[in-house]
Amino acid sequence: MVIRYTTAQSTGPMRRRGTLAIVMLATVAGLTAMTASAGARQARPVQAVEATAPREAGDPIMAIVSIKSQQVTFYDADGWIYRAPVSTGIKGRETPAGVFALIEKDKDHHSTLYDDAWMPNMQRITWNGIALHGGPLPGYAASHGCVRMPYEFAEKLFDKTEIGMRVIISPNDAAPTDFSHPALFQPTREALAAAPARAAKLSREAEDAARVADDAKQAAATATRETASLTASLRKLEQAKTRADADLAYTNKLLAAAKTDQAKARAADLQQKATAKASDAATQLDTAKGDSKSKLDAAAAAKDAAKAAATKKTETAKAATDAKLALEPVSVYISRATQKLYVRRNTHKAWPDGGEVFDSSIEVPVTIRDPEQPIGTHVFTAMARKDSGLRWSVVTIDSGDNAKDALDRVTIPQDVLDRIAPTALPRSSIIISDEPLSSETNYRTEFVAVLSNQPQGGFITRKPTPRVDDAIASNDGWGNNDGFSFFQRSWQPDPQPQFLPPPGYYYQRRRGGPYEQRQVQQPNGLW
């Protein structure tokens, strides 16, 4: 009993101390867990949510994707109108940060390369497979380079956007801010008012010139066919005269070389016959020339008229095309890397393999002060008209000079300004960047430029678009057969990439199915 009591007395305090220690440890652990959880919540970016502006939305002018916040925001002339969470590219297949524009739309797109993967309400921004489309959103970057949006959100936006709408993918949060600068295009009211009538007038002149050229070409061809037999006859008569003259010259030599009376008589006889033959050949040739001169002159005049008409056709077609382009928003890209200025405008001519043709007829050197110094990447956009011209905004997505200093450093050639500034419209833009244009910029894109200081895994692991070496559109690019062509340079594609194996699994809806998720092996495609 004593032993039992003593043991009880001695173990009681130990249990109480042990219990207290356990409580203290649990408290410390709980506090530590709470602190860690709070830290984790602080470190985790705020979850993007879908939202619609509390006002009537206008037509979207631009979309800005923030890779940092995993959010896309669409803007009209007066500010943001729609926001939604997105899922961009995973590590190694990152969505490229840079400047893009919509180049193709497909309501029910399925990958032609990767297991028929479903990409609903696809809005393409590069031909090598980067796009905005509906898809599952796990709450973090999970795609293979595309920008996934909520299914219903992508469906809602699909019919509201247009080919050519600016898409800016920023590594950080970015938004357009109001901006003004003397270098930004400010159209003249008179030029804007006159532009539609001028385009219609020049279009009629181009059509008339095309008809005249076609008629002149046909008349020249008819005249050429009609004079073909005359030309052949004259050629034969000329050849006969040449032979007769040669025979006469030969008999003259024979007569001069004759030594005997008999030889002289024979040579004289030959000379007489040759003289008569040469005279007859000359007479026939002169008569034929006289008879055919009017017809030959008419054929020559028809050829000259056809050449002049073809020249006028080309000139009027170019003028008509320029006038039509003046009715479209203009986009200008200024690259510090290449020291060039590029102009793009949508012709709205559908290309058989998808997308629309963009005019690229202006590409000129540009002067940038202190060209060795970074200038950043700035997108200036004409948001709407105002009494004095256009209201502009700017979005900066890469460090360098501020937007004002960047514009101050650039001198746009006056002849370019004269061509595009007087009729600049809302949605026009000026992009200034340290970056060269990507090789993805081609005849079916506006501008594609990616930030070289940001990961591009989802971009560089894709096949580049095919190389185009020659003129990419016959006629005038607007569907008129007037002989004017847009010439496309041979853009050098990136080296053939090696595709990475698709990691894990992915969720998609099969063609025609409901909005449900099924686990399938993840494709590359446009994801």
Side-chain angles (χ1 to χ4, degrees):
M1 291 294 295
V2 174
I3 296 175
R4 188 180 300 116
Y5 175 78
T6 303
T7 303
Q9 291 288 331
S10 62
T11 57
M14 290 179 63
R15 288 175 180 170
R16 287 194 297 271
R17 287 195 299 271
T19 302
L20 181 61
I22 291 172
V23 170
M24 291 179 64
L25 285 173
T27 302
V28 171
L31 290 172
T32 303
M34 291 173 62
T35 303
S37 176
R41 284 196 299 272
Q42 285 183 338
R44 183 182 302 150
V46 177
Q47 183 69 35
V49 295
E50 189 172 334
T52 300
R55 61 179 176 84
E56 184 177 354
D59 295 331
I61 293 177
M62 73 175 76
I64 301 179
V65 176
S66 169
I67 295 176
K68 175 183 177 181
S69 297
Q70 292 291 285
Q71 176 177 266
V72 62
T73 306
F74 287 78
Y75 295 86
D76 68 3
D78 297 318
W80 76 273
I81 48 177
Y82 307 109
R83 288 196 177 110
V86 298
S87 186
T88 60
I90 60 175
K91 184 176 178 59
R93 290 182 178 272
E94 298 88 352
T95 300
V99 181
F100 309 86
L102 295 187
I103 56 178
E104 186 187 39
K105 299 172 64 174
D106 188 353
K107 187 73 175 174
D108 188 30
H109 185 76
H110 287 252
S111 174
T112 58
L113 296 177
Y114 304 106
D115 194 32
D116 195 39
W118 184 57
M119 301 155 197
N121 299 294
M122 184 274 291
Q123 303 192 56
R124 185 189 297 274
I125 60 175
T126 73
W127 287 108
N128 72 353
I130 303 295
L132 285 66
H133 62 80
L137 305 180
Y140 48 83
S143 80
H144 270 189
C146 283
V147 177
R148 297 187 210 150
M149 303 182 293
Y151 286 113
E152 289 78 9
F153 183 84
E155 185 173 23
K156 177 176 68 175
L157 265 294
F158 187 83
D159 292 329
K160 299 180 184 297
T161 59
E162 298 178 0
I163 297 298
M165 187 196 77
R166 175 74 60 225
V167 177
I168 299 171
I169 300 179
S170 175
N172 300 300
D173 296 340
T177 58
D178 290 341
F179 188 83
S180 62
H181 192 281
L184 296 174
F185 307 144
Q186 293 300 339
T188 62
R189 186 172 301 175
E190 295 76 14
L192 286 172
R198 181 173 181 271
K201 175 177 177 291
L202 291 176
S203 180
R204 289 193 299 270
E205 291 179 358
E207 291 172 0
D208 292 342
R211 283 194 295 269
V212 170
D214 291 342
D215 292 344
K217 182 178 180 181
Q218 185 175 356
T222 301
T224 299
R225 287 194 300 270
E226 291 176 350
T227 58
S229 59
L230 290 176
T231 302
S233 298
L234 288 175
R235 189 177 298 112
K236 289 181 180 179
L237 291 174
E238 287 172 350
Q239 292 171 352
K241 183 179 182 300
T242 299
R243 289 193 298 270
D245 289 342
D247 290 344
L248 179 59
Y250 176 71
T251 59
N252 290 337
K253 290 181 180 180
L254 287 178
L255 183 60
K259 302 299 184 183
T260 65
D261 292 340
Q262 185 179 5
K264 289 178 181 181
R266 188 166 54 252
D269 182 59
L270 291 174
Q271 183 189 47
Q272 184 179 4
K273 292 178 180 179
T275 299
K277 187 175 181 180
S279 176
D280 184 58
T283 299
Q284 291 184 41
L285 179 60
D286 291 342
T287 301
K289 284 183 176 180
D291 293 342
S292 62
K293 184 177 186 306
S294 60
K295 294 183 178 180
L296 293 174
D297 289 346
K303 287 183 179 180
D304 292 340
K307 290 180 181 179
T311 299
K312 185 175 181 180
K313 173 184 174 180
T314 300
E315 292 173 350
T316 56
K318 185 178 185 305
T321 297
D322 288 344
K324 288 179 180 179
L325 290 174
L327 304 178
E328 296 294 323
V330 59
S331 294
V332 175
Y333 189 91
I334 298 170
S335 169
R336 185 178 70 87
T338 63
Q339 299 287 293
K340 283 188 175 183
L341 177 150
Y342 311 85
V343 176
R344 282 284 197 281
R345 280 179 289 198
N346 194 354
T347 69
H348 299 290
K349 179 181 179 181
W351 192 249
D353 292 334
E356 298 177 356
V357 176
F358 283 77
D359 171 64
S360 58
S361 56
I362 301 178
E363 178 182 322
V364 296
V366 68
T367 301
I368 300 178
R369 190 179 70 247
D370 301 326
E372 71 285 352
Q373 297 297 321
I375 202 168
T377 296
H378 314 274
V379 182
F380 305 90
T381 305
M383 303 299 287
R385 298 182 190 273
K386 63 178 183 178
D387 292 340
S388 58
L390 294 171
R391 174 167 57 82
W392 289 80
S393 72
V394 64
V395 178
T396 297
I397 61 170
D398 195 22
S399 60
D401 269 342
N402 62 45
K404 177 185 179 302
D405 291 341
L407 271 176
D408 286 341
R409 287 172 58 184
V410 175
T411 302
I412 299 177
Q414 188 61 45
D415 61 330
V416 174
L417 286 173
D418 292 342
R419 290 181 64 180
I420 63 180
T423 57
L425 299 170
R427 296 176 179 265
S428 295
S429 61
I430 300 175
I431 304 163
I432 299 177
S433 180
D434 293 311
E435 307 295 345
L437 287 175
S438 165
S439 59
E440 277 296 302
T441 302
N442 58 50
Y443 59 101
R444 291 186 293 163
T445 69
E446 193 215 50
F447 296 120
V448 178
V450 296
L451 301 186
S452 58
N453 58 3
Q454 297 295 321
Q456 303 171 21
F459 187 71
I460 62 177
T461 57
R462 296 168 183 266
K463 291 182 179 180
T465 55
R467 173 173 173 158
V468 176
D469 292 309
D470 300 316
I472 51 83
S474 60
N475 311 326
D476 69 349
W478 296 75
N480 298 324
N481 185 19
D482 60 9
F484 181 67
S485 299
F486 297 116
F487 181 79
Q488 169 62 31
R489 99 174 49 181
S490 302
W491 296 96
Q492 289 288 349
D494 296 328
Q496 185 75 9
Q498 296 296 319
F499 285 94
L500 301 177
Y505 291 86
Y506 197 77
Y507 295 89
Q508 70 174 29
R509 184 188 77 169
R510 284 297 179 179
R511 188 187 304 271
Y515 285 107
E516 62 183 19
Q517 297 175 347
R518 298 196 313 158
Q519 193 172 38
V520 297
Q521 191 169 359
Q522 182 177 5
N524 291 340
L526 284 168
W527 295 107

